[in-house]
């Protein structure tokens, strides 16, 4: 069967969300028959397998790979799925999120017409069942969902939505004011306006390679908002490192370094990223364990090493926001003294090779204080 896109979905115990995810693929304007859907089930213990098998009866282009042993992290299922790709392009989708209904068509048409290796758009960060009175300054739809736009370094047309980083709904009061007006600007920098048009909006940003406009790195990596040329990934043997955090960052950065042409669709939503606050449904990357804290740091060090390998000197743009979040991880975790010592040893290794300026050094100082 000839496919236009291969879509990879890792899943573990996704019975509550996988139907919504798959329905967003079935309704794609490009046509579900043009999509190879590769679902890798990380030995779920709920009804995930049965639900997916029911879909396969009607849609034979949905493929299910059941693992014999639980890997316990998304890097494994995603790496395994790469061996089954048949389409000329690859996309990724988490089992608790959805695509916008025209996402595949828009990204596919753009990468075909422009003949580049990567095309990506924006995502919506979605919070369910919010208090309208509390969040009246944010966009709330008729389903009582608060929706924010993913951060971009470039002026856009998406004025109905607040920024998911700058207007972080979890930082309020005086802390929120300081974050929005001082710290976020310090870390993420200004918003760039298009000098070629009066409104200053950027619609489509083209880069021959990453160094043409490193400001695309000021957005969160969001590797699932992108379509990749399959040859880019497979011929360069780009894989997800074996860590439970920042594996997506490393995959994306290596893809960027090899890419011959990158396009950012600054005003195009392609992905719906659902925030799960229910303690029972939290993913492994939202459970602040020792493993998560340690692997986050290992992942950041891998990214720093990767940037050095390719001679990319602006790694601070990528990692400073992650290190700021790392401070939050440490503060929220309940680490033992021995665990802190292990993390501190890893931090010292990272610090020796992290090429950063005054912003990075300040963040590193704060992390060091927390770990002592």
């Amino acid at each position: 069967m000839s496919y236009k896109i291969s879509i990879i979905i890792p899943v573990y115990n996704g019975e509550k969300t996988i139907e919504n995810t798959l329905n967003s693929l079935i309704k794609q304007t490009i046509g579900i028959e043009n999509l190879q859907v590769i679902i890798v089930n990380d030995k779920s213990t709920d009804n995930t397998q049965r639900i997916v098998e029911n879909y396969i009866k009607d849609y034979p282009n949905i493929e299910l790979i059941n693992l014999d042993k639980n890997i316990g992290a998304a890097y494994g299922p995603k790496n395994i799925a790469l061996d089954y790709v048949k389409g000329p392009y690859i996309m990724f989708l988490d089992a608790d999120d959805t695509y916008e209904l025209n996402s595949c068509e828009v990204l596919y048409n753009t990468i075909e017409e422009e003949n580049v290796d990567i095309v990506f758009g924006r995502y919506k960060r979605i919070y369910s069942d919010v208090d309208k009175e509390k969040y009246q300054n944010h966009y709330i739809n008729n389903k009582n969902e608060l929706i924010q736009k993913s951060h971009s370094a470039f002026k856009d047309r998406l004025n109905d939505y607040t920024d998911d980083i700058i207007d972080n709904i979890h930082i309020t009061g005086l802390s929120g004011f300081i974050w929005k007006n001082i710290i976020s600007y310090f870390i993420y920098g200004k918003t760039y306006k298009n000098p070629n048009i009066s409104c200053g909006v950027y619609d489509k940003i083209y880069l021959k390679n990453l160094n043409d406009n490193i400001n695309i790195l000021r957005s969160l990596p969001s590797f699932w908002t992108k379509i990749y040329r399959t040859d880019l990934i497979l011929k360069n043997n780009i894989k997800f490192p074996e860590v439970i955090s920042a594996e997506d960052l490393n995959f994306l950065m290596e893809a960027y370094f090899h890419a011959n042409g990158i396009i950012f669709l600054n005003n195009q939503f392609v992905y719906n990223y659902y925030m799960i606050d229910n303690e029972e449904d939290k993913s492994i990357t939202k459970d602040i364990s020792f493993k998560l804290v340690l692997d986050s740091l290992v992942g950041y060090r891998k990214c720093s090493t990767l940037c050095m390998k390719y001679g990319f000197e602006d790694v601070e743009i990528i990692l400073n926001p992650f290190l700021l979040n790392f401070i939050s991880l440490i503060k929220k975790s309940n680490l033992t003294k021995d665990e802190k010592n292990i993390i501190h040893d890893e931090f010292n290794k990272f610090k020796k090779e992290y090429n950063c300026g005054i912003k990075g050094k300040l963040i590193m100082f704060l992390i060091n204080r927390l770990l002592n």
Side-chain angles (χ1 to χ4, degrees):
M1 201 166 183
S2 180
Y3 300 110
K4 291 182 177 179
I5 308 171
S6 295
I7 296 175
I8 292 172
I9 306 176
V11 62
Y12 174 72
N13 286 354
E15 65 178 6
K16 295 180 181 179
T17 59
I18 191 66
E19 290 184 77
N20 196 37
T21 300
L22 291 177
N23 288 340
S24 83
L25 293 178
I26 291 168
K27 297 174 183 177
Q28 285 295 305
T29 57
I30 199 171
I32 181 63
E33 67 277 5
N34 291 308
L35 305 177
Q36 178 198 16
V37 182
I38 307 169
I39 302 172
V40 183
N41 177 22
D42 196 12
K43 202 169 178 57
S44 295
T45 57
D46 64 0
N47 290 318
T48 296
Q49 180 176 338
R50 180 183 59 79
I51 292 169
V52 175
E53 286 173 346
N54 284 335
Y55 276 85
I56 292 173
K57 293 175 184 176
D58 295 322
Y59 303 98
N61 51 321
I62 297 178
E63 304 172 17
L64 177 63
I65 302 166
N66 290 308
L67 302 186
D68 295 330
K69 182 180 179 182
N70 175 255
I71 294 175
Y75 70 81
K78 286 183 287 196
N79 282 336
I80 289 168
L82 289 172
D83 292 332
Y84 292 82
V85 167
K86 298 172 185 173
Y89 302 103
I90 299 171
M91 293 174 63
F92 294 90
L93 178 60
D94 281 353
D96 52 2
D97 295 330
T98 63
Y99 288 141
E100 291 283 290
L101 297 186
N102 65 344
S103 296
C104 293
E105 183 177 20
V106 168
L107 293 176
Y108 176 82
N109 286 345
T110 304
I111 200 167
E112 278 276 287
E113 292 165 5
E114 301 286 352
N115 193 28
V116 294
D117 281 343
I118 300 174
V119 175
F120 69 105
R122 305 280 288 275
Y123 65 83
K124 295 176 181 175
R125 188 185 293 268
I126 302 175
Y127 299 84
S128 301
D129 298 322
V130 297
D131 183 342
K132 288 186 178 181
E133 292 295 320
K134 182 178 180 182
Y135 298 111
Q136 55 186 298
N137 294 325
H138 298 272
Y139 178 88
I140 299 176
N141 65 14
N142 56 12
K143 296 180 181 179
N144 209 36
E145 296 172 327
L146 188 157
I147 302 177
Q148 293 188 298
K149 62 184 177 183
S150 58
H151 178 69
S152 171
F154 308 97
K155 182 175 172 57
D156 60 39
R157 303 180 191 275
L158 308 174
N159 299 322
D160 289 342
Y161 304 92
T162 50
D163 186 289
D164 74 327
I165 290 177
I166 308 303
D167 302 295
N168 190 315
I169 68 169
H170 296 302
I171 307 177
T172 58
L174 179 59
S175 297
F177 178 85
I178 294 172
W179 166 256
K180 183 173 182 178
N181 295 282
I182 301 174
I183 300 177
S184 65
Y185 184 84
F186 179 73
I187 297 296
Y188 291 94
K190 66 179 183 178
T191 299
Y192 293 88
K193 295 183 179 180
N194 189 342
N196 300 317
I197 57 176
S198 58
C199 64
V201 167
Y202 280 93
D203 284 313
K204 182 189 290 185
I205 299 167
Y206 171 82
L207 298 76
K208 177 66 175 173
N209 57 61
L210 188 58
N211 285 308
D212 282 352
N213 197 332
I214 61 173
N215 289 307
I216 67 165
L217 297 174
R218 296 189 188 276
S219 305
L220 291 177
S222 64
F223 84 111
W224 20 253
T225 60
K226 298 166 176 66
I227 187 169
Y228 309 82
R229 191 176 298 277
T230 298
D231 283 350
L232 167 72
I233 304 303
L234 299 188
K235 287 188 175 180
N236 292 294
N237 195 32
I238 300 173
K239 298 281 189 178
F240 294 88
E242 296 182 5
V243 288
I244 66 171
S245 181
E247 81 282 9
D248 300 346
L249 170 64
N250 282 274
F251 178 93
L252 176 59
M253 289 307 300
E254 188 157 14
Y256 275 158
F257 291 138
H258 286 285
N260 182 19
I262 302 165
I263 287 178
F264 174 36
L265 304 176
N266 190 39
N267 294 288
Q268 180 70 48
F269 284 124
V270 297
Y271 196 91
N272 299 311
Y273 176 40
Y274 288 90
M275 303 302 295
I276 300 175
D277 293 324
N278 187 320
E279 204 61 42
E280 185 180 309
D281 293 332
K282 282 186 176 179
S283 71
I284 191 168
T285 54
K286 292 171 186 168
D287 176 21
I288 314 300
S289 64
F290 164 67
K291 174 68 171 171
L292 175 61
V293 178
L294 179 61
D295 269 20
S296 295
L297 197 52
V298 171
Y300 304 155
R301 185 157 69 94
K302 285 180 180 291
C303 181
S304 178
T305 302
L306 185 67
C307 289
M308 285 194 297
K309 174 183 174 182
Y310 289 100
F312 185 74
E313 298 181 354
D314 294 293
V315 62
E316 189 173 19
I317 290 178
I318 314 158
L319 287 183
N320 278 354
F322 281 92
L323 291 170
L324 200 64
N325 182 66
F326 185 69
I327 291 174
S328 178
L329 279 182
I330 296 171
K331 292 174 72 173
K332 291 177 181 177
S333 62
N334 187 24
L335 301 173
T336 66
K337 185 176 179 181
D338 287 343
E339 288 172 340
K340 276 193 173 184
N341 287 338
I342 293 170
I343 291 169
H344 197 268
D345 287 343
E346 180 62 33
F347 174 71
N348 284 334
K349 295 175 187 175
F350 170 73
K351 188 168 62 172
K352 286 180 181 177
E353 58 183 62
Y354 184 39
N355 180 28
C356 62
I358 189 169
K359 296 177 185 179
K361 285 181 169 58
L362 176 59
I363 296 172
M364 301 287 270
F365 172 77
L366 294 173
I367 293 172
N368 195 58
R369 289 290 301 270
L370 282 172
L371 291 174
N372 280 327

